[in-house]
């Protein structure tokens, strides 16, 4: 049989390589891979049609083609012809049944792996050539290539030696590839639970999947290299893929009887549909190319092309994010990197020699080893690329960011109190915000001056929060406020201000009454200067108002028009005495039945993911969150964090809270994945909240938790900075979400505690940014995680130049269902019967240099005490509070990305060579907190906020203002 044209073979190789590279470049960002059943069904369907079409309409042009159907038969449709031809095959042969089982089983196992991808092992695909050659060794079968007219020598000793040599090289190459992926791994810290859970079997499922892939390749290779007519082989394979698609469709329909599965299987977004079609077509092209090449080359050679291409794409990712240069700067990483390339060249040489029976006798040394030389040259080129294209160089530090932050902070603080008199303050207000200040601005100014407020002019947060509400009529704002207070089941607390007196709505649960009592205490000193108003305060931790972008733009545009009308007014009026319609108060005297009233405007979204329903609509259509889905909970999306990070450290704290460029955070924060209590609305209700996500529209106000000093720094417990332990300290509860269906495994606090447990070995301050651990350190780390992951509750003293880690959850896990509570207990406390560490005195924090602040169900109330303590506070948070604009990253605290990939780099630098800068940040944070974050400063902010709000809800707001 004549061999295929060389150009066609080369073209097939190029198509296979390019399609594989395309698919792998989209692996983490495509919604297709998150839906293995949808993806596999569509891919098998397209592949089956393509293979059958090739057999029927292309192979008929070959002289050896034998039609399977009667040539006098009537013409059928394209699809009908293919299906009819396929059904005539002996589809129930043992080979067909084996391949069908392998394809369906590997899809099911892949689906199981994807569901808990964070328990998987990376790089196992590199063992595919090794498994294939092991199959051949076990069979010791000849490799028959009828298209080339060659017959292997069967069970000859030469073939056995060749197979054994290839197996050894393939094994060493696979180990090098896996080790390279391990050394360059950038993970989110997602947790594989301890104990006897099905998640622990995911690596076994991967190994079985890999064995099934090897079996499929081996069997398809046999078929393609067999003596049976090629058209029948292509029809056979087409029928196989179509049958596999049918079986998987049946399984998917069967699973849809479950309500949750039905929604997942049927209700697909347009983004998911597009990704499924694009990637299914790409994989189909790769499959058809691979099937063609399996008739020309041994299966090991085809698998090598697939694995090398996937690893090359991975290396490009890691080169661009600066990881590979750190890996190859370590001797072990360099050795594995060289062998990764050299081994691929050797395997290519061995595989090609075995396939074509090349004889080395007529070749020189260079010619015989040309593939190895090509591989070394490729490594040198890639290494040079890593040097010149990696951002930040070998060992970046946050020093330049700190210097820049110090300058920006000094400028902000200077502008914050630019005005030295009421006249200057009025003028500065108009210059900054384009409108006159609200009525009674002079009373606010005198109050601020009386308490020595360091901030007089800069209240951008207030104006940003209220701008959309300028686009809503005052009467509508009043009606919506009343609606909130008429439905106490929404967990809203009411403050009613009338004639300078404050009343608290009676419809508040006793557990939350303290919040309104403290808020009343905050407002009372200046209530006499406020107009009559009613205020609805969010009593839950989670924020409540998420307005889609198009509506928010409309509100903002109308708000700017309203402010422009006010700016043009020459005569300004004081607050009105009455409104039309007036504030309603009938609900104040309602009986207990008011608790049964349900609002149609707010939806219960507790214990379920909210990201794609409540975050995505607030973002532009072209933003990453609406363009792709980062479904892999394990892999860190460096491109997602790139807009707010420089050289691996947060350089734009404000932007780090914007979720529109961070689709990966859908799975990495408790409130986004499984909030304990979430009742949001898409309508612009005037809800005052202690904190909010960047993409929500709640109005921020000073927290009663901080004003009421629920946790506070006691000055008599102060410890000089040079006497503090050089340790990382955190104690707390797993409160950042409700743990159900394993959701806790990617919660922020859980990931942090787990990372700290893995870093129980001392972090040497002088071993900075050495991201490539020694083999001993790596084994030590693995031993640490495989034994007890529970950090000691005792203080770990510093030794020499070392940093120590003192981190643990305390108490039992309560925000979880029974299964997840048990899993959390075993994972963090080592065994089901272990006693949890007890809570310690809050003042214990001040003995440690490095204090970590993390989001809980919302913001953490500890941060302000941390600032005042003189220790160095680190903050990883998505929730923003009233003081965001006045507390500055890298000037008063150390910002951390919520993925926590920068945690140990920042700690190592600031606990070692950057200790002088750390001391300066800690001192600046303490001094600024004592100056600008006092209870009096909270009142100054609240006074100004309520003056602005009083103007917004006044029917004559276009005429209200203060003028000298």
């Amino acid at each position: 049989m004549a061999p295929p044209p060389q150009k066609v073979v080369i073209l097939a190789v190029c198509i296979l390589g390019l399609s594989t590279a395309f698919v792998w470049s989209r692996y983490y960002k495509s919604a297709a891979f998150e839906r293995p059943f949808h993806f596999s069904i569509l891919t098998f369907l397209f592949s089956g049609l393509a293979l059958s079409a090739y057999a029927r309409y292309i192979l008929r042009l070959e002289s050896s083609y034998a039609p399977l159907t009667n040539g006098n038969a009537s013409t059928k449709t394209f699809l009908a012809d293919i299906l009819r031809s396929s059904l005539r095959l002996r589809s129930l042969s043992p080979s067909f049944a084996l391949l069908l089982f392998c394809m369906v089983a590997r899809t099911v196992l892949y689906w199981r792996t994807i569901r808990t991808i964070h328990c998987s092992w990376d790089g196992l695909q590199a063992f595919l050539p090794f498994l294939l050659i092991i199959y051949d060794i076990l069979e010791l079968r000849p490799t028959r290539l009828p298209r080339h007219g060659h017959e292997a020598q069967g069970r000859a000793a030469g073939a056995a030696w060749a197979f054994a040599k290839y197996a050894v090289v393939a094994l060493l190459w696979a180990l090098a590839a896996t080790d390279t992926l391990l050394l360059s791994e950038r993970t989110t810290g997602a947790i594989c639970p301890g104990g006897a859970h099905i998640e622990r079997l995911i690596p076994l499922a991967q190994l079985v999947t890999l064995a099934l892939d090897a079996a499929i390749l081996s069997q398809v290779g046999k078929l393609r290299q067999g003596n049976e007519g090629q058209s029948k082989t292509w029809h056979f394979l087409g029928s196989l893929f179509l049958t596999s698609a049918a079986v998987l469709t049946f399984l998917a329909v069967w699973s849809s009887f479950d309500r949750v599965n039905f929604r997942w299987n049927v209700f697909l977004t347009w983004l998911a549909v597009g990704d499924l079609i694009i990637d299914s077509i790409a994989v189909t092209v790769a499959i058809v190319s691979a099937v063609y090449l399996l008739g020309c080359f041994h299966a090991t050679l085809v698998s090598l092309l697939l694995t090398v291409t996937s690893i090359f794409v991975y290396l490009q990712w890691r080169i661009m994010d600066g990881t590979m240069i750190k890996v190859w700067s370590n001797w072990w990483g360099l050795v594995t990197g060289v062998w990764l390339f050299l081994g691929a060249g050797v395997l290519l040489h061995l595989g090609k020699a075995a396939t074509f029976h090349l004889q080395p006798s007529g070749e020189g040394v260079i010619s015989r080893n040309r593939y190895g030389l090509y591989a070394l040259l490729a490594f040198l080129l890639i290494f040079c690329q890593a040097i010149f294209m990696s951002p930040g160089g070998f060992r970046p530090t946050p020093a330049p960011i700190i210097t820049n932050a110090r300058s920006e902070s000094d400028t902000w603080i200077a502008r914050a109190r630019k005005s030295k008199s009421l006249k200057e303050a009025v003028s500065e207000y108009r210059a900054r915000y384009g409108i006159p200040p609200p009525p009674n601005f002079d009373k606010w100014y005198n109050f601020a001056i009386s308490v020595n407020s360091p901030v007089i002019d800069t209240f951008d947060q207030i104006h940003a929060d209220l701008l959309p509400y300028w686009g809503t009529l005052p009467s509508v704002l009043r009606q919506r406020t009343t609606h909130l207070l008429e439905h106490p089941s929404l967990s809203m607390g009411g403050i009613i201000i009338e004639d300078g007196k404050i009343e608290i709505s009676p419809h508040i649960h006793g557990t939350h009454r303290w919040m309104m009592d403290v808020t009343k205490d905050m407002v009372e000193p200046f209530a006499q200067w406020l107009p009559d108003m009613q205020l609805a305060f969010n009593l839950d931790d989670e924020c409540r108002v998420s307005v889609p972008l198009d509506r928010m733009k409309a509100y903002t545009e109308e708000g700017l028009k309203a402010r422009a009308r006010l700016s043009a007014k020459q005569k300004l009026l004081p607050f009105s005495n009455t409104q039309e319609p007036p504030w309603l108060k009938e609900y104040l005297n309602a009986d207990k039945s008011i608790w049964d009233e349900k609002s149609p405007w707010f939806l219960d979204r507790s214990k379920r993911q909210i990201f794609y329903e409540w975050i995505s609509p607030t973002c532009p259509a072209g933003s990453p969150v609406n363009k792709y889905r980062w479904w892999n909970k394990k892999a860190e999306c460096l491109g997602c964090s790139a807009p707010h990070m420089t050289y691996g450290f947060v350089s734009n704290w404000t932007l780090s809270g914007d979720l529109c460029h961070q689709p990966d955070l859908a799975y990495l924060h408790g409130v986004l994945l499984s909030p304990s209590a979430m009742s949001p609305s898409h309508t612009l209700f005037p809800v005052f909240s202690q904190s909010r996500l960047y993409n929500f529209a709640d109005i921020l106000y000073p927290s009663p938790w901080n004003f009421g000093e629920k946790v506070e720094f006691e000055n008599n417990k102060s410890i000089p900075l040079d006497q503090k332990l050089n340790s990382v300290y955190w104690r707390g509860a797993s409160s950042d979400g409700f743990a159900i269906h394993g959701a806790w495994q990617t919660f922020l606090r859980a990931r942090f505690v787990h990372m700290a447990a893995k870093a129980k070995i001392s972090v040497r301050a002088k071993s900075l940014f050495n991201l490539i651990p020694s083999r001993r350190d790596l084994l030590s780390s693995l031993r640490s995680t495989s034994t007890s992951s529970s950090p000691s509750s005792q203080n770990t003293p510093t030794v020499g130049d070392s940093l120590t880690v003192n981190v643990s959850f305390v108490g039992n896990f309560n925000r979880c269902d029974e299964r997840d509570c048990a899993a959390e207990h075993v994972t963090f406390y080592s065994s089901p019967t272990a006693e949890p560490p007890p809570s310690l005195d809050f003042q214990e924090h001040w003995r440690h240099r490095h204090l970590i602040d993390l989001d809980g169900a919302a913001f953490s109330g500890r941060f302000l005490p941390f600032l005042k303590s003189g220790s160095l506070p680190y903050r990883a948070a998505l929730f923003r509070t009233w003081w965001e604009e006045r507390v500055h990253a890298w000037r008063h605290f150390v910002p951390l990305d919520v993925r926590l990939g920068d945690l140990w780099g920042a700690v190592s630098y600031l606990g070692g060579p950057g200790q002088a800068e750390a001391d300066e940040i800690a001192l600046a944070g303490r001094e600024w907190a004592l100056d600008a974050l006092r209870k009096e400063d909270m009142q100054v902010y609240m006074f100004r906020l309520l003056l602005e709000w009083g103007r917004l809800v006044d029917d004559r707001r276009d005429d209200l203002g203060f003028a000298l």
Side-chain angles (χ1 to χ4, degrees), residues 514 518 522 703-712 935 938:
W514 69 270
V518 172
M522 189 191 312
S703 170
W705 180 275
N706 292 131
F707 190 85
E709 298 179 334
K710 285 289 186 177
V711 290
E712 191 56 31
K935 295 175 66 173
M938 300 179 198

Side-chain angles (χ1 to χ4, degrees), residues 5 184 245 267 281 409 473 534 536 599 638 701 825 833:
S184 60
F267 296 103
I281 293 174
S409 177
L473 293 174
Q534 296 180 12
S599 171
L638 295 174
Y701 78 102
H825 196 99
T833 58

Side-chain angles (χ1 to χ4, degrees), residues 330-518:
N330 175 276
W331 73 269
W332 177 255
L334 185 62
V335 169
T336 56
V338 171
W339 177 244
L340 178 65
F341 283 78
L342 184 60
V346 174
L347 288 176
L348 180 61
H349 171 71
L350 294 177
K352 189 173 181 181
T355 300
F356 294 106
H357 295 268
L358 298 177
Q359 299 299 323
S361 57
E363 297 181 320
V365 175
I366 296 179
S367 180
R368 288 200 306 270
N369 297 284
R370 62 183 180 277
Y371 291 107
L373 294 176
Y374 295 158
L376 288 177
L377 179 61
F379 175 76
L380 290 175
L381 292 174
I382 296 297
F383 187 79
C384 291
Q385 180 194 12
I387 293 175
F388 291 109
M389 298 188 66
S390 297
F394 285 88
R395 303 185 178 207
T397 73
I401 303 175
I402 294 173
T403 301
N404 185 59
R406 186 183 300 123
S407 174
E408 291 181 354
S409 177
D410 290 343
T411 301
W412 189 96
I413 292 172
R415 293 186 73 246
R417 191 165 181 169
K418 183 179 178 181
S419 300
K420 305 302 180 183
S421 66
L422 176 60
K423 181 179 179 180
E424 291 182 5
V426 172
S427 176
E428 188 67 22
Y429 186 106
R430 273 189 172 273
R432 293 190 183 206
Y433 306 117
I435 56 175
N440 293 340
F441 183 77
D442 55 335
K443 306 301 188 296
W444 172 85
Y445 179 82
N446 292 332
F447 181 83
I449 293 299
S450 69
V451 297
N452 296 316
S453 172
V455 180
I456 297 295
D457 299 310
T458 305
F459 289 88
D460 297 348
Q461 182 73 60
I462 291 177
H463 288 268
D465 287 355
L466 299 186
L467 179 57
Y469 295 92
W470 277 93
T472 307
L473 293 174
S475 59
V476 174
L477 293 177
R478 295 196 300 271
Q479 291 169 2
R480 289 179 178 175
T481 299
T482 302
H483 178 86
L484 294 172
L485 300 181
E486 287 176 338
H487 295 82
S489 61
L490 293 175
S491 192
M492 296 289 174
I495 291 285
I496 296 92
I497 302 174
E498 188 172 2
D499 297 328
K501 305 296 182 182
I502 301 177
E503 182 182 355
I504 300 176
S505 171
H507 310 299
I508 301 175
H509 284 302
T511 54
H512 292 85
R513 172 77 188 198
W514 69 270
M515 294 177 64
M516 293 299 93
D517 290 335
V518 172

Side-chain angles (χ1 to χ4, degrees), residues 270-382:
W270 286 113
L271 176 64
V273 171
D275 284 345
L276 283 167
I277 293 174
I278 292 172
D279 291 310
S280 294
I281 293 174
V283 175
T284 296
V285 171
I287 288 174
V288 173
S289 302
V291 170
Y292 182 87
L293 290 175
L294 284 171
C296 309
F297 304 129
H298 192 271
T300 54
L301 203 57
V302 177
S303 68
L304 182 65
L305 176 60
L306 292 169
T307 53
V308 166
T309 302
S310 66
I311 292 172
F312 175 78
V313 173
Y314 177 86
L315 290 179
Q316 289 300 309
W317 287 339
R318 291 296 170 248
I319 287 172
M320 300 308 293
D321 64 41
T323 302
M324 287 314 301
I325 194 63
K326 301 184 183 75
V327 172
W328 289 336
S329 67
N330 175 276
W331 73 269
W332 177 255
L334 185 62
V335 169
T336 56
V338 171
W339 177 244
L340 178 65
F341 283 78
L342 184 60
V346 174
L347 288 176
L348 180 61
H349 171 71
L350 294 177
K352 189 173 181 181
T355 300
F356 294 106
H357 295 268
L358 298 177
Q359 299 299 323
S361 57
E363 297 181 320
V365 175
I366 296 179
S367 180
R368 288 200 306 270
N369 297 284
R370 62 183 180 277
Y371 291 107
L373 294 176
Y374 295 158
L376 288 177
L377 179 61
F379 175 76
L380 290 175
L381 292 174
I382 296 297

Side-chain angles (χ1 to χ4, degrees), residues 326 329-330 394-397 649 726 761-774 776-777 799-803 903-914:
K326 301 184 183 75
S329 67
N330 175 276
F394 285 88
R395 303 185 178 207
T397 73
F649 299 98
N726 194 23
I761 55 174
S762 181
V763 182
R764 292 194 58 204
K766 289 185 178 178
S767 299
L768 297 177
F769 301 96
N770 183 18
L771 299 183
I772 313 308
S774 68
R776 182 175 62 182
D777 289 342
V799 180
D801 60 355
S802 295
L803 285 162
L903 171 62
W904 301 124
V907 168
S908 296
Y909 178 76
L910 295 169

Side-chain angles (χ1 to χ4, degrees), residues 155-356:
R155 301 177 184 275
W161 166 244
F163 284 163
K165 183 167 59 173
Y166 190 98
V168 171
V169 176
L171 177 61
L172 293 177
W173 180 80
L175 291 173
T178 304
D179 205 44
T180 298
L181 267 63
L182 172 66
L183 295 175
S184 60
E185 189 177 42
R186 299 289 296 265
T187 70
T188 60
I191 304 162
C192 193
H197 292 90
I198 191 172
E199 291 93 335
R200 308 295 295 184
L201 299 177
I202 293 303
L204 177 60
Q206 287 182 277
L207 293 173
V208 175
T209 302
L210 188 67
L212 292 175
D213 288 340
I216 293 171
L217 277 173
S218 179
Q219 291 300 313
V220 173
K222 283 183 183 180
L223 291 171
R224 288 286 289 120
Q225 297 166 13
N227 289 321
E228 191 173 0
Q230 292 302 307
S231 61
K232 292 183 179 180
T233 300
W234 285 89
H235 271 297
F236 178 91
L237 294 175
S239 179
L240 171 67
F241 277 91
L242 291 173
T243 307
S244 299
V247 173
L248 291 176
T249 301
F250 172 78
L251 294 177
V253 172
W254 181 267
S255 71
S256 295
F257 287 105
D258 179 83
R259 183 178 178 182
V260 176
N261 288 340
F262 177 80
R263 292 183 61 185
W264 177 256
N265 290 341
V266 176
F267 296 103
L268 276 66
T269 64
W270 286 113
L271 176 64
V273 171
D275 284 345
L276 283 167
I277 293 174
I278 292 172
D279 291 310
S280 294
I281 293 174
V283 175
T284 296
V285 171
I287 288 174
V288 173
S289 302
V291 170
Y292 182 87
L293 290 175
L294 284 171
C296 309
F297 304 129
H298 192 271
T300 54
L301 203 57
V302 177
S303 68
L304 182 65
L305 176 60
L306 292 169
T307 53
V308 166
T309 302
S310 66
I311 292 172
F312 175 78
V313 173
Y314 177 86
L315 290 179
Q316 289 300 309
W317 287 339
R318 291 296 170 248
I319 287 172
M320 300 308 293
D321 64 41
T323 302
M324 287 314 301
I325 194 63
K326 301 184 183 75
V327 172
W328 289 336
S329 67
N330 175 276
W331 73 269
W332 177 255
L334 185 62
V335 169
T336 56
V338 171
W339 177 244
L340 178 65
F341 283 78
L342 184 60
V346 174
L347 288 176
L348 180 61
H349 171 71
L350 294 177
K352 189 173 181 181
T355 300
F356 294 106

Side-chain angles (χ1 to χ4, degrees), residues 463-690:
H463 288 268
D465 287 355
L466 299 186
L467 179 57
Y469 295 92
W470 277 93
T472 307
L473 293 174
S475 59
V476 174
L477 293 177
R478 295 196 300 271
Q479 291 169 2
R480 289 179 178 175
T481 299
T482 302
H483 178 86
L484 294 172
L485 300 181
E486 287 176 338
H487 295 82
S489 61
L490 293 175
S491 192
M492 296 289 174
I495 291 285
I496 296 92
I497 302 174
E498 188 172 2
D499 297 328
K501 305 296 182 182
I502 301 177
E503 182 182 355
I504 300 176
S505 171
H507 310 299
I508 301 175
H509 284 302
T511 54
H512 292 85
R513 172 77 188 198
W514 69 270
M515 294 177 64
M516 293 299 93
D517 290 335
V518 172
T519 303
K520 178 181 178 182
D521 293 341
M522 189 191 312
V523 175
E524 273 186 327
F526 49 85
Q528 59 183 317
W529 307 114
L530 298 176
D532 293 353
M533 66 177 74
Q534 296 180 12
L535 303 166
F537 291 91
N538 177 21
L539 300 179
D540 287 341
D541 292 323
E542 296 83 356
C543 39
R544 311 297 290 274
V545 183
S546 170
V547 182
L549 183 63
D550 55 346
R551 277 188 255 167
M552 182 60 77
K553 283 184 175 180
Y555 283 127
T556 302
E557 290 173 0
E558 288 300 318
L560 291 173
K561 293 177 183 178
R563 289 166 67 97
R565 291 193 296 268
L566 172 59
S567 177
K569 295 298 175 65
Q570 299 297 320
K571 184 179 180 180
L572 299 174
L573 303 177
F575 289 118
S576 304
N577 293 324
T578 59
Q579 309 295 336
E580 185 60 39
W583 290 100
L584 299 179
K585 295 189 290 185
E586 287 78 5
Y587 66 89
L588 293 174
N589 300 316
D591 58 23
K592 291 185 179 180
S593 64
I594 194 175
W595 287 92
D596 297 326
E597 299 291 331
K598 302 298 181 183
S599 171
W601 300 101
F602 289 81
L603 304 175
D604 182 10
R605 290 297 182 265
S606 302
K607 304 176 187 178
R608 67 181 73 177
Q609 190 184 65
I610 69 166
F611 193 88
Y612 295 104
E613 183 181 4
W614 299 95
I615 300 299
S616 296
T618 68
C619 299
S623 62
V625 77
N626 287 317
K627 290 181 65 177
Y628 62 85
R629 291 188 64 161
W630 189 275
W631 55 269
N632 194 324
K633 305 173 187 178
K634 177 183 180 181
E636 184 178 354
C637 178
L638 295 174
C640 301
S641 59
H644 62 262
M645 299 190 77
T646 303
Y647 303 150
F649 299 98
V650 176
S651 56
N652 189 328
W653 173 251
T654 301
L655 192 60
S656 71
D658 186 356
L659 296 170
C660 291
H661 66 274
Q662 305 182 78
D664 59 322
L665 296 189
Y667 299 101
L668 299 181
H669 198 288
V671 77
L672 299 175
L673 186 57
S674 181
S676 296
M678 192 71 181
S679 180
S681 174
H682 281 310
T683 303
L684 191 65
F685 277 89
V687 176
F688 288 78
S689 294
Q690 303 173 77

Side-chain angles (χ1 to χ4, degrees), residues 888-902:
H888 306 141
W890 295 112
R891 176 60 166 164
H892 304 127
F893 71 98
V894 179
L896 295 175
D897 185 67
V898 292
R899 298 163 187 80
L900 300 177
D902 54 345

